[in-house]
Amino acid sequence: MNAESQSATYAEITGWGKCVPPAQLTNDDLATFVDTSDEWITTRTGIKARRISHVNTAELAALAAKRAMAAAGISPEEVDLVALATSCPDTIVPNTASKVQQLIGAKNAAAFDLNSACTGFLYALQNATAQVRSGMIKKAVVIGAERMSWWVNWALRETAVLFGDGAGAVVIEASDKPTGLVHAQLGCDSEARDILEIRGFGTDMDRYENPPSALDVHFMGPDIFKRAVRAMGQGSETVLAKAQLSVDDIDLLVPHQANLRIIASLQKQFKLADEQVMVNIHNYGNTSAATVPIALCEALETGRVKPGANIMTAAFGAGLTWGAGYIKWGERVTPVNVCDEELPANDKTAQELLSIAIKHCLNK
């Protein structure tokens, strides 16, 4: 371990990037094959549209990572770790992070997948931050990437309207400045883990006698709402206390984008003004582990993150995992470089991309 590693006690976020696929599925589009309406979805969730990917999770993650590395001004060879938070892996074995490592050219990096559902990005960020702060690594790319549309049963209205696809990433680097994820509180309410689950997949299923058919997301909305508000609120209070901050010190809250009413409840609890809360659920729906990094990227792109800002983030997901974190932003809020690469061209609409899945689900 060299002197630089020993003196570096923080993990500053130096780069950020997102990747949202171009095909958009609006509420009106959904209403053409699901018994719903724009009014029904909007009033219950705040969602107006979501993106449907024409590529796999690894490709979404890789482009977000490339954009984050460009923003940080680092080369792929400098990356020591690729941490991918996802519940939509391309493959179970090998892990999807190894594919991302290959696609971004980070040949010197370790790579792992982490599945903590919607809280995954916070779990991965805490893990990578701990490695940087311990001196074990210097630079990491932390990604939240999901292709949630792959799991959706389009015959089930309550969940078909919620989810979308996308990816967001950050680069963290060793620093002696008190920046980055300074404090975090993670937890898991496992007693209620069965109220949010994807059934019919994994070694829990009967592989030979009852092979999987249509997968679906089992979702008990009212109970999830109550637990999400409580866990995210308590976690945020704990982190504020650890950081010796008051609510008045918060410049921006970047919460998990699962439901606008959950976000509004958290905002009310902490008495935050609208300009202090980052909301983009109306454009993307719930992209699970990708919501927080996508929202953080958009906050930076729109000038809502100022140098030295105090940022709070909180999330809640299946498991039931939960987490909150305090991020002290550094001085730079503009990218060093810009990645001009795009996803492979797609000439299909969201409905055309989903046509086989929709037909399969609705004919069951």
Side-chain angles (χ1 to χ4, degrees), residues 241-286:
K242 284 184 177 180
Q244 298 182 327
L245 296 174
S246 71
V247 173
D248 295 336
D249 295 316
I250 298 175
D251 295 306
L252 187 66
L253 173 67
V254 183
H256 170 46
Q257 310 286 310
N259 185 299
L260 186 58
R261 292 193 285 185
I262 293 176
I263 298 172
S265 295
L266 202 60
Q267 178 179 350
K268 183 179 179 181
Q269 176 180 340
F270 289 103
K271 300 178 181 178
L272 299 175
D274 289 348
E275 57 267 22
Q276 292 175 281
V277 184
M278 181 64 199
V279 179
N280 64 358
I281 189 173
H282 50 289
N283 291 326
Y284 305 120
N286 183 350

Side-chain angles (χ1 to χ4, degrees), residues 8 12 54 86 140 160 213 260:
E12 182 175 0
H54 62 292
T86 187
S213 54
L260 186 58

Side-chain angles (χ1 to χ4, degrees), residues 7-20:
S7 63
T9 56
Y10 296 95
E12 182 175 0
I13 297 176
T14 59
W16 53 91
K18 73 180 195 295
C19 175
V20 290

Side-chain angles (χ1 to χ4, degrees), residues 19-297:
C19 175
V20 290
Q24 184 180 71
L25 187 71
T26 67
N27 291 347
D28 288 333
D29 294 332
L30 263 176
T32 64
F33 57 88
V34 177
D35 181 19
T36 190
S37 68
D38 176 63
E39 187 274 338
W40 191 92
I41 300 170
T42 303
T43 56
R44 288 164 174 78
T45 69
I47 300 169
K48 301 291 289 185
R50 70 286 295 146
R51 301 297 179 93
I52 304 299
S53 183
H54 62 292
V55 299
N56 288 340
T57 301
E59 292 183 69
L60 295 172
L63 186 51
K66 288 178 180 180
R67 290 171 174 172
M69 290 189 298
I74 68 169
S75 68
E77 292 79 13
E78 295 177 71
V79 178
D80 299 312
L81 174 67
V82 175
L84 174 62
T86 187
S87 50
C88 307
D90 292 0
T91 53
I92 302 298
V93 179
N95 66 8
T96 303
S98 61
K99 181 65 175 180
V100 176
Q101 188 242 41
Q102 181 186 70
L103 290 172
I104 67 176
K107 60 183 180 181
N108 299 316
F112 69 79
D113 290 4
L114 183 153
N115 180 3
S116 291
C118 300
T119 323
F121 178 76
L122 278 179
Y123 268 68
L125 182 60
Q126 189 214 41
N127 184 298
T129 295
Q131 293 196 49
V132 171
R133 295 188 67 170
S134 71
M136 297 183 71
I137 63 173
K138 293 181 182 179
K139 299 177 184 179
V141 179
V142 183
I143 314 160
E146 305 281 18
R147 195 181 180 189
M148 292 299 295
S149 63
W150 194 88
W151 292 114
V152 171
N153 184 335
W154 299 100
L156 302 178
R157 178 178 66 172
E158 288 72 17
T159 52
V161 305
L162 297 177
F163 298 104
D165 305 336
V170 297
V171 168
I172 60 173
E173 299 187 47
S175 172
D176 58 1
K177 303 171 185 176
T179 54
L181 183 67
V182 179
H183 293 285
Q185 184 74 22
L186 303 179
C188 181
D189 179 15
S190 61
E191 287 185 358
R193 67 187 298 273
D194 59 341
I195 69 173
L196 177 53
E197 61 180 341
I198 294 175
R199 296 172 168 175
F201 190 78
T203 59
D204 204 30
M205 71 183 187
D206 189 341
R207 176 182 173 188
Y208 298 105
E209 294 183 14
N210 297 293
S213 54
L215 299 170
D216 66 82
V217 182
H218 175 62
F219 191 88
M220 296 175 64
D223 198 7
I224 290 169
F225 179 92
K226 290 184 292 184
R227 291 175 182 270
V229 171
R230 181 172 64 249
M232 290 167 68
Q234 291 176 350
S236 297
E237 289 176 351
T238 300
V239 168
L240 284 173
K242 284 184 177 180
Q244 298 182 327
L245 296 174
S246 71
V247 173
D248 295 336
D249 295 316
I250 298 175
D251 295 306
L252 187 66
L253 173 67
V254 183
H256 170 46
Q257 310 286 310
N259 185 299
L260 186 58
R261 292 193 285 185
I262 293 176
I263 298 172
S265 295
L266 202 60
Q267 178 179 350
K268 183 179 179 181
Q269 176 180 340
F270 289 103
K271 300 178 181 178
L272 299 175
D274 289 348
E275 57 267 22
Q276 292 175 281
V277 184
M278 181 64 199
V279 179
N280 64 358
I281 189 173
H282 50 289
N283 291 326
Y284 305 120
N286 183 350
T287 56
S288 190
T291 71
V292 168
I294 290 174
L296 180 61
C297 287

